[in-house]
Amino acid sequence: MAEMERTFVAVKPDGLQRGLVGEIVSRFEKRGLKLVGLRLLQVTRQMAETHYGEHKGKPFFDGLVKFITSGPVVAMVWEGKDAIAIARATIGATNPASAAPGTIRGDLAIEIGRNVVHGSDGPESASREIGIFFSENELISGWSRNLDSWLTELVTK
Ligand code: DAT
Ligand code: MG
């Protein structure tokens, strides 16, 4: 049985500038994941460098940090069975030019440096990234939805 997972998702500054926050949140809601954390914030340079630490030294790193700190982001935690892989699939390929239609990046973006949304790529990065943006008491995972039994056989009480 697959485990319940939490994943970190963020609407990047281009998504806010373009008025896409509602559209992007809606896609995760409709998919069936459960929202357990939500924050609007300005990412600091230090947070950005920690969050994107795995890319330090790559040619696009400075531009990436500049972009993610260029305006507010909407940081979220979504929970569900296989939430990490489901969120990544909903987001689509890193480069929107090759992202499948139907995915967020495949429908709403055209290039890699403006790909509107972030999603954790595995359990370790999810837990690390959630910790950068949220403290445990800012997450509400104890709430249940009446529709859960229509989304999953794994209904938790
Ligand atoms: P993802 O965001 O799909 O997890 P990633 O972790 O490989 O992709 O890279 C983080 C972000 O960095 C990505 O969303 C956009 C930017 N990026 C990645 N590769 C890039 C490249 N070759 N040129 C410019 N920006 C890049
Ligand atoms: Mg990544």
Side-chain angles (χ1 to χ4, degrees):
M1 192 189 288
E3 278 182 46
M4 291 303 273
E5 286 178 337
R6 284 176 176 179
T7 189
F8 177 72
V9 171
V11 183
K12 297 182 182 182
D14 51 345
L16 278 97
Q17 291 292 335
R18 295 175 55 204
L20 294 174
V21 173
E23 162 88 30
I24 291 169
V25 171
S26 181
R27 292 195 178 213
F28 293 99
E29 280 189 312
K30 287 180 193 160
R31 187 78 199 262
L33 295 176
K34 186 167 88 170
L35 186 63
V36 302
L38 181 74
R39 260 186 93 188
L40 172 70
L41 77 152
Q42 172 67 49
V43 177
T44 64
R45 187 177 175 85
Q46 192 184 0
M47 285 170 83
E49 289 187 357
T50 307
H51 173 74
Y52 282 127
E54 65 175 300
H55 299 299
K56 203 170 172 89
K58 294 183 185 169
F60 59 85
F61 182 74
D62 289 346
L64 181 59
V65 168
K66 194 170 174 201
F67 167 55
I68 204 73
T69 58
S70 66
V73 307
V74 171
M76 295 170 275
V77 179
W78 291 91
E79 190 178 86
K81 189 169 72 168
D82 293 324
I84 297 168
I86 288 170
R88 289 283 287 189
T90 299
I91 289 168
T94 302
N95 188 345
S98 49
T103 65
I104 294 170
R105 287 168 173 166
D107 288 347
L108 303 176
I110 52 173
E111 67 176 65
I112 195 164
R114 297 288 183 271
N115 62 7
V116 300
V117 63
H118 168 85
S120 307
D121 65 5
E124 291 77 24
S125 59
S127 133
R128 191 178 67 79
E129 292 166 2
I130 290 168
I132 296 170
F133 287 84
F134 293 92
S135 53
E136 189 57 39
N137 66 7
E138 290 174 312
L139 302 175
I140 302 176
S141 65
W143 66 292
S144 61
R145 301 174 300 186
N146 290 340
L147 58 69
D148 279 341
S149 63
W150 301 103
L151 286 164
T152 174
E153 296 178 87
L154 182 83
V155 177
T156 50
K157 284 242 166 201

PDB file of all heavy atoms in Angstrom, residues 12 52 54-55 60 64 88 92-94 105 112-113 115 117-119 121, ligand 1:
ATOM      1  N   LYS A  12       5.613  30.256  -8.588  1.00  0.00           N
ATOM      2  CA  LYS A  12       6.760  31.152  -8.683  1.00  0.00           C
ATOM      3  C   LYS A  12       6.295  32.579  -9.019  1.00  0.00           C
ATOM      4  O   LYS A  12       5.134  32.787  -9.404  1.00  0.00           O
ATOM      5  CB  LYS A  12       7.731  30.608  -9.749  1.00  0.00           C
ATOM      6  CG  LYS A  12       8.308  29.226  -9.397  1.00  0.00           C
ATOM      7  CD  LYS A  12       9.295  28.753 -10.459  1.00  0.00           C
ATOM      8  CE  LYS A  12       9.825  27.362 -10.143  1.00  0.00           C
ATOM      9  NZ  LYS A  12      10.822  26.900 -11.144  1.00  0.00           N
ATOM     10  N   TYR A  52      17.393  25.857  -3.509  1.00  0.00           N
ATOM     11  CA  TYR A  52      17.969  25.389  -4.771  1.00  0.00           C
ATOM     12  C   TYR A  52      19.435  24.961  -4.606  1.00  0.00           C
ATOM     13  O   TYR A  52      20.201  24.962  -5.573  1.00  0.00           O
ATOM     14  CB  TYR A  52      17.855  26.481  -5.834  1.00  0.00           C
ATOM     15  CG  TYR A  52      16.465  26.591  -6.444  1.00  0.00           C
ATOM     16  CD1 TYR A  52      15.782  27.802  -6.482  1.00  0.00           C
ATOM     17  CD2 TYR A  52      15.831  25.474  -7.012  1.00  0.00           C
ATOM     18  CE1 TYR A  52      14.511  27.909  -7.058  1.00  0.00           C
ATOM     19  CE2 TYR A  52      14.570  25.574  -7.577  1.00  0.00           C
ATOM     20  CZ  TYR A  52      13.910  26.784  -7.599  1.00  0.00           C
ATOM     21  OH  TYR A  52      12.659  26.880  -8.176  1.00  0.00           O
ATOM     22  N   GLU A  54      20.983  22.216  -4.481  1.00  0.00           N
ATOM     23  CA  GLU A  54      21.495  21.154  -5.366  1.00  0.00           C
ATOM     24  C   GLU A  54      21.982  21.717  -6.705  1.00  0.00           C
ATOM     25  O   GLU A  54      22.718  21.053  -7.435  1.00  0.00           O
ATOM     26  CB  GLU A  54      20.408  20.095  -5.627  1.00  0.00           C
ATOM     27  CG  GLU A  54      19.224  20.632  -6.389  1.00  0.00           C
ATOM     28  CD  GLU A  54      18.169  19.586  -6.771  1.00  0.00           C
ATOM     29  OE1 GLU A  54      18.497  18.627  -7.484  1.00  0.00           O
ATOM     30  OE2 GLU A  54      17.003  19.749  -6.348  1.00  0.00           O
ATOM     31  N   HIS A  55      21.538  22.937  -7.050  1.00  0.00           N
ATOM     32  CA  HIS A  55      21.913  23.520  -8.344  1.00  0.00           C
ATOM     33  C   HIS A  55      23.045  24.537  -8.242  1.00  0.00           C
ATOM     34  O   HIS A  55      23.428  25.140  -9.243  1.00  0.00           O
ATOM     35  CB  HIS A  55      20.693  24.185  -8.994  1.00  0.00           C
ATOM     36  CG  HIS A  55      19.577  23.224  -9.270  1.00  0.00           C
ATOM     37  ND1 HIS A  55      19.716  22.141 -10.102  1.00  0.00           N
ATOM     38  CD2 HIS A  55      18.297  23.169  -8.794  1.00  0.00           C
ATOM     39  CE1 HIS A  55      18.580  21.460 -10.143  1.00  0.00           C
ATOM     40  NE2 HIS A  55      17.699  22.063  -9.356  1.00  0.00           N
ATOM     41  N   PHE A  60      22.873  28.308 -14.564  1.00  0.00           N
ATOM     42  CA  PHE A  60      21.601  29.020 -14.409  1.00  0.00           C
ATOM     43  C   PHE A  60      21.290  29.379 -12.960  1.00  0.00           C
ATOM     44  O   PHE A  60      20.268  30.001 -12.678  1.00  0.00           O
ATOM     45  CB  PHE A  60      20.454  28.182 -14.999  1.00  0.00           C
ATOM     46  CG  PHE A  60      20.279  26.816 -14.375  1.00  0.00           C
ATOM     47  CD1 PHE A  60      19.524  26.643 -13.216  1.00  0.00           C
ATOM     48  CD2 PHE A  60      20.866  25.696 -14.952  1.00  0.00           C
ATOM     49  CE1 PHE A  60      19.363  25.394 -12.645  1.00  0.00           C
ATOM     50  CE2 PHE A  60      20.707  24.436 -14.387  1.00  0.00           C
ATOM     51  CZ  PHE A  60      19.951  24.282 -13.235  1.00  0.00           C
ATOM     52  N   LEU A  64      18.340  31.832 -11.501  1.00  0.00           N
ATOM     53  CA  LEU A  64      17.249  31.140 -10.819  1.00  0.00           C
ATOM     54  C   LEU A  64      16.958  31.791  -9.465  1.00  0.00           C
ATOM     55  O   LEU A  64      15.795  32.047  -9.125  1.00  0.00           O
ATOM     56  CB  LEU A  64      17.651  29.668 -10.639  1.00  0.00           C
ATOM     57  CG  LEU A  64      16.679  28.709  -9.971  1.00  0.00           C
ATOM     58  CD1 LEU A  64      15.360  28.647 -10.735  1.00  0.00           C
ATOM     59  CD2 LEU A  64      17.306  27.313  -9.876  1.00  0.00           C
ATOM     60  N   ARG A  88       4.272  16.097  -9.323  1.00  0.00           N
ATOM     61  CA  ARG A  88       5.249  16.272 -10.406  1.00  0.00           C
ATOM     62  C   ARG A  88       4.591  16.021 -11.761  1.00  0.00           C
ATOM     63  O   ARG A  88       4.855  16.722 -12.742  1.00  0.00           O
ATOM     64  CB  ARG A  88       6.415  15.293 -10.241  1.00  0.00           C
ATOM     65  CG  ARG A  88       7.348  15.601  -9.098  1.00  0.00           C
ATOM     66  CD  ARG A  88       8.299  16.727  -9.364  1.00  0.00           C
ATOM     67  NE  ARG A  88       9.371  16.403 -10.281  1.00  0.00           N
ATOM     68  CZ  ARG A  88      10.408  17.206 -10.516  1.00  0.00           C
ATOM     69  NH1 ARG A  88      10.513  18.374  -9.889  1.00  0.00           N
ATOM     70  NH2 ARG A  88      11.338  16.864 -11.368  1.00  0.00           N
ATOM     71  N   GLY A  92       4.301  18.736 -14.811  1.00  0.00           N
ATOM     72  CA  GLY A  92       4.880  18.506 -16.140  1.00  0.00           C
ATOM     73  C   GLY A  92       6.383  18.701 -16.168  1.00  0.00           C
ATOM     74  O   GLY A  92       7.004  19.085 -15.182  1.00  0.00           O
ATOM     75  N   ALA A  93       6.964  18.456 -17.335  1.00  0.00           N
ATOM     76  CA  ALA A  93       8.423  18.481 -17.507  1.00  0.00           C
ATOM     77  C   ALA A  93       9.002  19.854 -17.181  1.00  0.00           C
ATOM     78  O   ALA A  93       8.345  20.872 -17.365  1.00  0.00           O
ATOM     79  CB  ALA A  93       8.779  18.093 -18.937  1.00  0.00           C
ATOM     80  N   THR A  94      10.264  19.843 -16.705  1.00  0.00           N
ATOM     81  CA  THR A  94      10.945  21.075 -16.287  1.00  0.00           C
ATOM     82  C   THR A  94      10.919  22.143 -17.383  1.00  0.00           C
ATOM     83  O   THR A  94      10.670  23.312 -17.119  1.00  0.00           O
ATOM     84  CB  THR A  94      12.410  20.756 -15.914  1.00  0.00           C
ATOM     85  OG1 THR A  94      12.401  19.779 -14.867  1.00  0.00           O
ATOM     86  CG2 THR A  94      13.150  21.990 -15.444  1.00  0.00           C
ATOM     87  N   ARG A 105       2.757  23.188 -16.703  1.00  0.00           N
ATOM     88  CA  ARG A 105       3.784  23.825 -17.535  1.00  0.00           C
ATOM     89  C   ARG A 105       3.468  23.679 -19.024  1.00  0.00           C
ATOM     90  O   ARG A 105       3.748  24.578 -19.822  1.00  0.00           O
ATOM     91  CB  ARG A 105       5.157  23.238 -17.213  1.00  0.00           C
ATOM     92  CG  ARG A 105       5.699  23.706 -15.854  1.00  0.00           C
ATOM     93  CD  ARG A 105       6.908  22.889 -15.443  1.00  0.00           C
ATOM     94  NE  ARG A 105       7.573  23.377 -14.243  1.00  0.00           N
ATOM     95  CZ  ARG A 105       8.469  22.665 -13.561  1.00  0.00           C
ATOM     96  NH1 ARG A 105       8.797  21.439 -13.971  1.00  0.00           N
ATOM     97  NH2 ARG A 105       9.034  23.160 -12.482  1.00  0.00           N
ATOM     98  N   ILE A 112      11.967  27.438 -19.926  1.00  0.00           N
ATOM     99  CA  ILE A 112      12.456  26.817 -18.683  1.00  0.00           C
ATOM    100  C   ILE A 112      12.683  27.824 -17.561  1.00  0.00           C
ATOM    101  O   ILE A 112      12.444  27.519 -16.389  1.00  0.00           O
ATOM    102  CB  ILE A 112      13.721  25.970 -18.981  1.00  0.00           C
ATOM    103  CG1 ILE A 112      14.029  25.016 -17.808  1.00  0.00           C
ATOM    104  CG2 ILE A 112      14.913  26.849 -19.320  1.00  0.00           C
ATOM    105  CD1 ILE A 112      15.000  23.913 -18.158  1.00  0.00           C
ATOM    106  N   GLY A 113      13.103  29.027 -17.900  1.00  0.00           N
ATOM    107  CA  GLY A 113      13.385  30.032 -16.870  1.00  0.00           C
ATOM    108  C   GLY A 113      12.136  30.730 -16.348  1.00  0.00           C
ATOM    109  O   GLY A 113      12.228  31.578 -15.458  1.00  0.00           O
ATOM    110  N   ASN A 115       8.919  28.839 -15.607  1.00  0.00           N
ATOM    111  CA  ASN A 115       8.051  27.655 -15.671  1.00  0.00           C
ATOM    112  C   ASN A 115       6.992  27.594 -14.564  1.00  0.00           C
ATOM    113  O   ASN A 115       6.452  26.534 -14.258  1.00  0.00           O
ATOM    114  CB  ASN A 115       8.882  26.358 -15.780  1.00  0.00           C
ATOM    115  CG  ASN A 115       9.775  26.106 -14.588  1.00  0.00           C
ATOM    116  OD1 ASN A 115       9.694  26.829 -13.585  1.00  0.00           O
ATOM    117  ND2 ASN A 115      10.610  25.084 -14.675  1.00  0.00           N
ATOM    118  N   VAL A 117       5.895  27.083 -11.734  1.00  0.00           N
ATOM    119  CA  VAL A 117       5.584  26.293 -10.546  1.00  0.00           C
ATOM    120  C   VAL A 117       6.750  25.383 -10.177  1.00  0.00           C
ATOM    121  O   VAL A 117       7.509  24.952 -11.042  1.00  0.00           O
ATOM    122  CB  VAL A 117       4.242  25.525 -10.764  1.00  0.00           C
ATOM    123  CG1 VAL A 117       4.348  24.555 -11.903  1.00  0.00           C
ATOM    124  CG2 VAL A 117       3.739  24.830  -9.511  1.00  0.00           C
ATOM    125  N   HIS A 118       6.891  25.152  -8.883  1.00  0.00           N
ATOM    126  CA  HIS A 118       7.908  24.224  -8.363  1.00  0.00           C
ATOM    127  C   HIS A 118       7.210  23.043  -7.699  1.00  0.00           C
ATOM    128  O   HIS A 118       6.175  23.220  -7.061  1.00  0.00           O
ATOM    129  CB  HIS A 118       8.786  24.924  -7.318  1.00  0.00           C
ATOM    130  CG  HIS A 118       9.647  23.955  -6.548  1.00  0.00           C
ATOM    131  ND1 HIS A 118      10.858  23.530  -7.026  1.00  0.00           N
ATOM    132  CD2 HIS A 118       9.422  23.283  -5.389  1.00  0.00           C
ATOM    133  CE1 HIS A 118      11.365  22.638  -6.177  1.00  0.00           C
ATOM    134  NE2 HIS A 118      10.516  22.482  -5.170  1.00  0.00           N
ATOM    135  N   GLY A 119       7.804  21.867  -7.797  1.00  0.00           N
ATOM    136  CA  GLY A 119       7.319  20.704  -7.039  1.00  0.00           C
ATOM    137  C   GLY A 119       8.483  19.845  -6.608  1.00  0.00           C
ATOM    138  O   GLY A 119       9.419  19.623  -7.384  1.00  0.00           O
ATOM    139  N   ASP A 121      10.976  16.782  -5.828  1.00  0.00           N
ATOM    140  CA  ASP A 121      11.224  15.624  -6.697  1.00  0.00           C
ATOM    141  C   ASP A 121      11.395  14.303  -5.953  1.00  0.00           C
ATOM    142  O   ASP A 121      11.646  13.281  -6.576  1.00  0.00           O
ATOM    143  CB  ASP A 121      12.409  15.893  -7.626  1.00  0.00           C
ATOM    144  CG  ASP A 121      13.726  16.042  -6.876  1.00  0.00           C
ATOM    145  OD1 ASP A 121      13.749  15.849  -5.643  1.00  0.00           O
ATOM    146  OD2 ASP A 121      14.745  16.343  -7.534  1.00  0.00           O
TER     147      ASP A 121
HETATM  148  P1  DAT B   1      12.275  21.106 -11.583  1.00  0.00           P
HETATM  149  O1  DAT B   1      11.818  22.510 -11.240  1.00  0.00           O
HETATM  150  O2  DAT B   1      11.437  20.506 -12.683  1.00  0.00           O
HETATM  151  O3  DAT B   1      12.425  20.214 -10.386  1.00  0.00           O
HETATM  152  P2  DAT B   1      15.181  21.288 -11.604  1.00  0.00           P
HETATM  153  O4  DAT B   1      15.133  20.946 -10.149  1.00  0.00           O
HETATM  154  O5  DAT B   1      16.074  20.480 -12.466  1.00  0.00           O
HETATM  155  O6  DAT B   1      13.724  21.254 -12.258  1.00  0.00           O
HETATM  156  O7  DAT B   1      15.602  22.815 -11.768  1.00  0.00           O
HETATM  157  C1  DAT B   1      15.080  23.796 -10.906  1.00  0.00           C
HETATM  158  C2  DAT B   1      14.696  25.001 -11.730  1.00  0.00           C
HETATM  159  O8  DAT B   1      15.863  25.571 -12.315  1.00  0.00           O
HETATM  160  C3  DAT B   1      13.775  24.700 -12.909  1.00  0.00           C
HETATM  161  O9  DAT B   1      12.405  24.707 -12.538  1.00  0.00           O
HETATM  162  C4  DAT B   1      14.107  25.805 -13.864  1.00  0.00           C
HETATM  163  C5  DAT B   1      15.588  26.065 -13.605  1.00  0.00           C
HETATM  164  N1  DAT B   1      16.423  25.347 -14.568  1.00  0.00           N
HETATM  165  C6  DAT B   1      16.720  24.032 -14.555  1.00  0.00           C
HETATM  166  N2  DAT B   1      17.530  23.698 -15.576  1.00  0.00           N
HETATM  167  C7  DAT B   1      17.744  24.858 -16.235  1.00  0.00           C
HETATM  168  C8  DAT B   1      18.487  25.198 -17.408  1.00  0.00           C
HETATM  169  N3  DAT B   1      19.186  24.279 -18.087  1.00  0.00           N
HETATM  170  N4  DAT B   1      18.477  26.492 -17.814  1.00  0.00           N
HETATM  171  C9  DAT B   1      17.785  27.430 -17.145  1.00  0.00           C
HETATM  172  N5  DAT B   1      17.051  27.169 -16.037  1.00  0.00           N
HETATM  173  C10 DAT B   1      17.043  25.901 -15.601  1.00  0.00           C
END
